[in-house]
């Protein structure tokens, strides 16, 4: 293995190749969850569209309520109604009140709303028992959004709030970057599907489930998940198929063992190596290359190593291919206790995060062996603890890669 590349350099090398989003396509809003806007969303409407009532009650001229109180109510003539969706067709005159519903257009001539609770109604008249000032309980046109406002920038990831706001400004099919296609290949003669009977030396193919889940959470479209034996020709064939996708992700078979064929198979498929070997634990033998149609990753097979390297290298690439920043996947956190460091390798430490007055507090989850997949269960984030001779002291700030980013789900 050549000299190990620092994690930050490896990540930069990946992002350099994943520069620029994939072409845009129109996406119906109800399919938009987790998609990334390719262009900013500009409103061509005011929201709300009209001055409207914030309450159920009566539209009035504020001046007609001067001096009104429970003891000395003012009586106005009930002369019309404005309902939600059906504005009044007349102008309100002096001494008049129009019934209004919440959200209904404030009629011309009115400048305030009296809440129903502050009135009594009888025979074509309304008694008003409070004085209101002009503007009371009126929501102004354009108060939320003005026509011409940029509401969301390009690169915004659509969550429920973003989708709701797009709907509110009449954008039915926002332009979003195409989702990157991902082909996943798990290599290893020992691998068994969860449904297969266990046999001597068998290992359950858990990566074939964690990696597609991680890819989907990062907004990708998983087009295939294959299992491949440790055989040169089979690995070459799998690499030829996988490199049809925007991103090919192999796991296992990328180290220095006699039966590790992934690097050679990627080369045979026309992929060019960018790096192999990262100063990281776990995840040292990570391989990255590019091919005509996209990116190729060879991740180590150990289940935790595969997750760690996916989070650190593949996820940022998937975000970048959609035009989104990977910042949304990270927070700065503070170490709850001292964390031993490795002299030459950064460590990805699984941790829980808790909110404190000083920000996120990170507590490692316990045993960190790269084969202990259950150590991921209680983890909220991966801490990237940089190489060094002294332990990283409690209270120091580290970058935490969130493991539970709820975006991009199909
Ligand atoms: P490798 O990177 O191929 O040397 O594999 C390293 C370790 O990870 C071995 O113990 C493999 O059995 C295990 N492993 C490889 N691929 C998978 C997989 N898809 N699911 C679960 N464990 C795996
Ligand atoms: Mg293997």
């Amino acid at each position: 293995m050549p000299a190990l590349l620092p994690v930050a350099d490896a990540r930069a090398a990946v992002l350099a190749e994943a520069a620029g989003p994939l072409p845009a396509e129109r996406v119906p809003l109800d399919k938009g969850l987790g998609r990334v806007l390719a262009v900013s969303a500009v409103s061509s409407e005011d929201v709300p569209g009209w001055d409207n009532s914030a309450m159920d009650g009566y539209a009035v001229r504020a001046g007609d309520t001067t001096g009104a109180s429970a003891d000395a109510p003012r009586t106005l003539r009930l002369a019309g109604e404005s309902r939600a969706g059906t504005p009044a067709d007349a102008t309100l005159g002096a001494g008049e009140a129009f019934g209004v519903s919440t959200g209904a257009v404030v009629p011309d001539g009115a400048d305030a709303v009296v809440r129903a609770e502050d009135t009594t109604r009888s025979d074509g008249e309304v008694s008003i028992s409070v004085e209101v000032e002009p503007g009371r309980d009126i929501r102004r046109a354009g108060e939320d959004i003005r026509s011409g406002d940029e509401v969301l920038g390009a690169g915004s990831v659509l969550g429920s709030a973003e989708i709701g706001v797009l709907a509110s400004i009449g954008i039915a099919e926002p332009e979003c970057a195409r989702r990157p296609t991902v082909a996943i290949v798990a290599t290893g003669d020992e691998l068994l599907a969860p449904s297969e009977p266990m046999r001597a030396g068998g290992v359950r193919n858990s990566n074939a489930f964690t990696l597609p889940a991680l890819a989907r959470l990062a907004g990708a479209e998983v087009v295939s998940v294959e299992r491949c034996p440790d055989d040169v020709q089979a690995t070459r064939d799998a690499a030829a198929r996988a490199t049809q996708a925007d991103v090919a992700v192999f796991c296992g078979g990328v180290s220095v063992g006699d039966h590790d064929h992934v690097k050679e198979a990627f080369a045979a498929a026309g992929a060019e190596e960018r790096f192999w070997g990262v100063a990281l634990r776990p995840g040292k033998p990570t391989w990255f290359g590019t091919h005509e149609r996209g990116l190729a990753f060879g991740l180590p097979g150990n289940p935790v190593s595969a997750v760690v390297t996916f989070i650190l290298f593949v996820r940022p690439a998937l975000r970048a291919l959609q035009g989104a920043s990977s910042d949304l996947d990270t927070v700065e956190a503070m170490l709850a206790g001292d964390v031993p460091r490795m002299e030459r390798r950064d460590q990805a430490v699984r941790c829980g995060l808790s909110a404190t007055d000083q920000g996120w507090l990170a507590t490692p989850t316990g045993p960190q062996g790269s084969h202990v997949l259950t150590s991921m269960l209680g983890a909220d984030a991966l801490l990237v603890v940089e190489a060094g001779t002294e332990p990283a002291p409690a209270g120091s700030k580290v970058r935490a890669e969130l493991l539970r980013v709820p975006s991009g789900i199909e």
Side-chain angles (χ1 to χ4, degrees), residues 187-190 230 251-254 259-260 301:
T187 71
D189 288 344
E190 73 280 27
D230 293 316
C251 65
V254 77
H259 307 290
D260 292 343

Side-chain angles (χ1 to χ4, degrees), residues 185-188 190-191 201 203-208 210-211 230 251-257 259-260 285 299-303 370-371 373:
V185 182
T187 71
E190 73 280 27
L191 299 181
V203 171
R204 297 280 180 209
N205 186 1
S206 56
N207 293 351
T210 36
L211 297 181
D230 293 316
C251 65
V254 77
S255 197
V256 292
H259 307 290
D260 292 343
L299 309 182
N302 263 315
S370 61
H371 57 291
L373 189 54

